Amino acid sequence: MHASVTRSRGRRTVTVILSILAVIALGIGGVIAWRLLAPAPSNWESLDATDKEMLTQLSEQYDITATHAAEIWTDAYRYEDQPLVLLRTDGEKSSFWSHAILVNMSGVTDTSGMAKIDVPGASHLDDVRISRTFAVGEWLLYAPSNFAVIDVSDRDVLAFKYNQAMLDTETTTSQGFQRFSLHENFHVTKQGLDPEAPGAWPWGAGGLIPDYPHTEAQYELLRVEARIFDRVETETDPQALAVLASDLATVRMARYTTWPTLKAEIDLEAIEGTATYVERAFDRARGLTPVQRTFTDGLEDLISDPEQQIVLERDYSYFTGAQLGLLLDRIAPDWKTQIEPAPTGSASTPFATLQRVTGVTTAPDDAELRAVVDRYLP
């Protein structure tokens, strides 16, 4: 009797699961059928307010990156010419999108059957197409996420989902459309090119740093770094900048020698930190200076809250990497070229460039380290 009841319950469970999966499949199938059959907007006038606002913000973004290319990254990187797929959704990380807007994609895939959108007043939006059927069978794009990297004609292309809330928060958060899309497309179109090539950027960097040392000794050195990073914003004297750079490299070598697991920060800063640098350089180029807390205050908040300490294990490198880039702008202006693989650069991470400029390649002894710490901590 017991075995019979168990089998009966097992069959009911399987039936329920299969029913749920069937409903999900029917729902996705219905969305795909609707997209294939429903007419797509065919010109600027037929777009709704959200689509028009997105393309307006994209046009503004391209105008700034075209005018300030060397400040945002380098003259050689023409962000406004990079391919991009934009998917219209109704909210953050939505699994469903109604249509795709393809930008700079005519040289990547066949767009001849797609309607061309002429954006009024746009100087750098010459190749804009709209489609309900493009990538309709790309299941990765139905994941609950804000973006995905898809293969189009053997080329990696960012498929970025946008919605009205993202457009409304553009000038207040890093999740705003212009900042967010710039950050992610920089990953794909600059850092992700030929990731298997010798000397390629550490494209796979990511994940939490394992066995992160949440200790007072580690926190003391992080506090020194925070004070150095805060001074980078305002210091202009070359000699003072050289001291800041040398002290930062010294503290870093002490941390990486004492806790080798922290070396993961080097690659995290090279990928996420430089993309955040680009994001902030873009803000400066458009005259926007979002209010940000000092590194010193922000770090204390993280250290004092056990639930927030996990930020140190990955996301903190976004900000330290961006600030390291700002320091390198002052002491090694070629760092953005040097980070690229040969023959353009030497595949040198930002930290490796810091070491090259300062000559700090080994850990300090206790007395040397204490002298640096005492310069910054009361």
Side-chain angles (χ1 to χ4, degrees):
M1 174 66 73
H2 178 72
S4 176
V5 170
T6 301
R7 286 195 295 272
S8 177
R9 287 176 178 171
R11 285 195 296 270
R12 283 200 298 271
T13 300
V14 171
T15 300
V16 169
I17 293 174
L18 290 176
S19 298
I20 292 173
L21 292 174
V23 169
I24 293 173
L26 286 172
I28 293 175
V31 170
I32 293 175
W34 164 74
R35 185 177 299 136
L36 292 172
L37 298 174
S42 58
N43 52 42
W44 175 261
E45 288 72 23
S46 61
L47 296 176
D48 68 11
T50 297
D51 287 338
K52 289 180 178 179
E53 175 64 17
M54 183 278 293
L55 287 171
T56 298
Q57 288 195 18
L58 185 67
S59 177
E60 293 170 354
Q61 181 197 65
Y62 283 0
D63 286 346
I64 293 165
T65 59
T67 304
H68 301 277
E71 301 157 52
I72 295 171
W73 193 246
T74 65
D75 274 329
Y77 177 59
R78 309 309 305 189
Y79 172 79
E80 63 280 359
D81 295 336
Q82 305 304 316
L84 177 64
V85 173
L86 296 152
L87 306 176
R88 170 66 183 277
T89 69
D90 58 359
E92 182 180 9
K93 297 184 178 181
S94 176
S95 295
F96 301 107
W97 42 280
S98 59
H99 53 266
I101 294 180
L102 286 72
V103 180
N104 299 327
M105 287 288 290
S106 293
V108 180
T109 189
D110 182 9
T111 61
S112 59
M114 304 178 191
K116 187 176 186 297
I117 304 295
D118 295 314
V119 182
S123 303
H124 300 92
L125 279 177
D126 301 323
D127 182 12
V128 179
R129 313 281 172 161
I130 190 166
S131 172
R132 282 192 184 275
T133 59
F134 176 79
V136 69
E138 180 61 73
W139 294 102
L140 185 64
L141 299 182
Y142 298 96
S145 62
N146 284 317
F147 58 86
V149 179
I150 59 175
D151 184 306
V152 183
S153 303
D154 295 324
R155 180 169 181 173
D156 282 345
V157 175
L158 177 69
F160 189 83
K161 298 176 182 178
Y162 66 96
N163 57 77
Q164 187 60 48
M166 186 182 290
L167 299 169
D168 291 341
T169 60
E170 167 48 33
T171 59
T172 57
T173 76
S174 61
Q175 299 297 297
F177 174 75
Q178 290 183 345
R179 284 194 189 96
F180 199 176
S181 62
L182 178 69
H183 182 114
E184 298 305 334
N185 213 28
F186 181 80
H187 280 325
V188 178
T189 61
K190 170 52 67 175
Q191 297 173 337
L193 294 179
D194 198 8
E196 301 303 320
W201 291 30
W203 180 238
L208 298 178
I209 297 173
D211 302 317
Y212 191 91
H214 290 283
T215 66
E216 284 306 314
Q218 149 80 343
Y219 291 161
E220 179 182 54
L221 297 183
L222 285 180
R223 289 184 173 101
V224 173
E225 286 194 16
R227 282 158 175 77
I228 292 173
F229 282 135
D230 283 337
R231 287 183 56 184
V232 167
E233 293 284 351
T234 56
E235 188 58 69
T236 58
D237 178 69
Q239 288 186 322
L241 284 167
V243 172
L244 291 176
S246 179
D247 287 348
L248 176 62
T250 298
V251 171
R252 280 286 175 94
M253 286 307 300
R255 291 175 58 230
Y256 295 161
T257 302
T258 304
W259 304 283
T261 189
L262 294 176
K263 291 180 181 179
E265 293 176 353
I266 296 173
D267 286 349
L268 277 169
E269 288 184 335
I271 294 297
E272 297 296 355
T274 52
T276 304
Y277 167 94
V278 166
E279 193 180 321
R280 292 186 171 180
F282 171 75
D283 277 346
R284 290 192 294 272
R286 60 177 172 164
L288 181 63
T289 53
V291 176
Q292 297 170 358
R293 303 197 67 191
T294 65
F295 273 86
T296 299
D297 289 343
L299 178 63
E300 289 304 324
D301 284 349
L302 296 178
I303 291 174
S304 63
D305 184 350
E307 293 185 359
Q308 291 297 313
Q309 288 174 5
I310 193 172
V311 173
L312 296 171
E313 300 179 22
R314 182 178 187 273
D315 293 352
Y316 191 60
S317 293
Y318 283 59
F319 310 111
T320 60
Q323 204 73 348
L324 176 55
L326 188 59
L327 174 60
L328 294 177
D329 281 344
R330 316 282 180 80
I331 64 172
D334 66 339
W335 74 274
K336 289 183 281 191
T337 300
Q338 291 307 311
I339 197 174
E340 300 192 26
T344 302
S346 59
S348 178
T349 63
F351 179 65
T353 299
L354 179 70
Q355 289 184 296
R356 172 175 60 84
V357 172
T358 62
V360 178
T361 59
T362 59
D365 61 31
D366 290 344
E368 291 170 332
L369 181 59
R370 180 47 51 188
V372 173
V373 171
D374 289 345
R375 271 200 286 276
Y376 298 94
L377 298 183

